[in-house]
């Protein structure tokens, strides 16, 4: 499958340097505006003062919109008017094109302790079985654009989006657990092979593989799964 995710290669500037420049723009625009008001009250030409103040203030606002603060194991998926521009993975304080839109995600590992569910084993016997899963986001492009995890960017954040991923993982883990449980008997004599009651590494490995088959479409990865 084609790899659509790539690291953002656009222009990035030091955030602290741009912060100083931004403050200077605000201060200068206010100073020019005040000078324009003084000129107007004195009956002197003032249009140039007001135009200059407006231009500098607009520039200051645009600069303000370009700051990015990012911690380790976090990422931002950047789009330019709807077009994917790359995934920003650098840590620190930076400034990028203010017309880029950023969707924040976490690359950190997460736990899912699934509640036991009632399933039928290979012999048709009803059993209660649960699982513990460690998962993480692996492909930011798939995670953002292949499944519906939209949140209101004005009020939402990376945590809100990750909660949607967690619900997706919960549903898929339920399906994978039912499939694996139907492949083995709950209990039996040693000559019948691996059983669910043993909870062997083989079963856990199969469960992890089944989970990854389902989660890969969403850019997610099961690191470890245990019944």
């Amino acid at each position: 499958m084609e790899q659509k995710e790539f690291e953002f290669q656009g222009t990035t500037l030091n955030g602290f340097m741009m912060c100083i420049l931004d403050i200077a723009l605000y201060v200068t625009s206010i100073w020019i505006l005040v000078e324009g008001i003084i000129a107007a009250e004195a009956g002197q030409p003032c249009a140039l003062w007001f135009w200059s103040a407006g231009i500098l203030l607009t520039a200051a606002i645009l600069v303000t919109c370009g700051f990015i603060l990012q911690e380790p194991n976090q990422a931002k998926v950047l789009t330019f008017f709807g077009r994917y521009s790359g995934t920003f993975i650098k840590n620190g304080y930076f400034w990028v094109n203010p017309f880029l839109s950023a969707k924040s995600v976490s690359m950190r590992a997460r736990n899912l302790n699934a509640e036991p569910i009632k399933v039928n084993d290979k012999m048709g016997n009803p059993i209660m079985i649960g699982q513990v899963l460690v998962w993480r986001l692996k492909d930011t492009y798939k995670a953002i654009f292949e499944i519906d995890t939209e949140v209101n960017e004005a009020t939402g954040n990376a945590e809100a989006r990750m909660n949607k991923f967690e619900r997706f993982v919960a549903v898929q883990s339920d399906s994978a657990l039912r499939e694996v449980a139907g492949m083995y008997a709950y209990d039996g004599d040693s000559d019948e092979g691996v059983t669910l009651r043993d909870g062997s590494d083989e079963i856990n490995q199969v469960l992890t593989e089944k989970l990854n088959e389902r989660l890969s479409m969403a850019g997610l990865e099961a690191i470890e799964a245990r019944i």
Side-chain angles (χ1 to χ4, degrees), residues 16 21 85 101 108 118 132 140 161 172 179 181 198:
F16 296 101
L21 174 61
S85 299
S101 298
R108 297 166 182 169
K118 187 175 182 180
V132 176
T140 58
R161 183 172 285 107
Q172 297 304 319
E179 180 181 356
D198 297 334

Side-chain angles (χ1 to χ4, degrees), residues 35-47 49-50:
E35 290 295 321
I37 294 173
I38 293 174
E41 291 178 347
Q44 300 174 355
C46 59
W49 290 101
F50 290 133

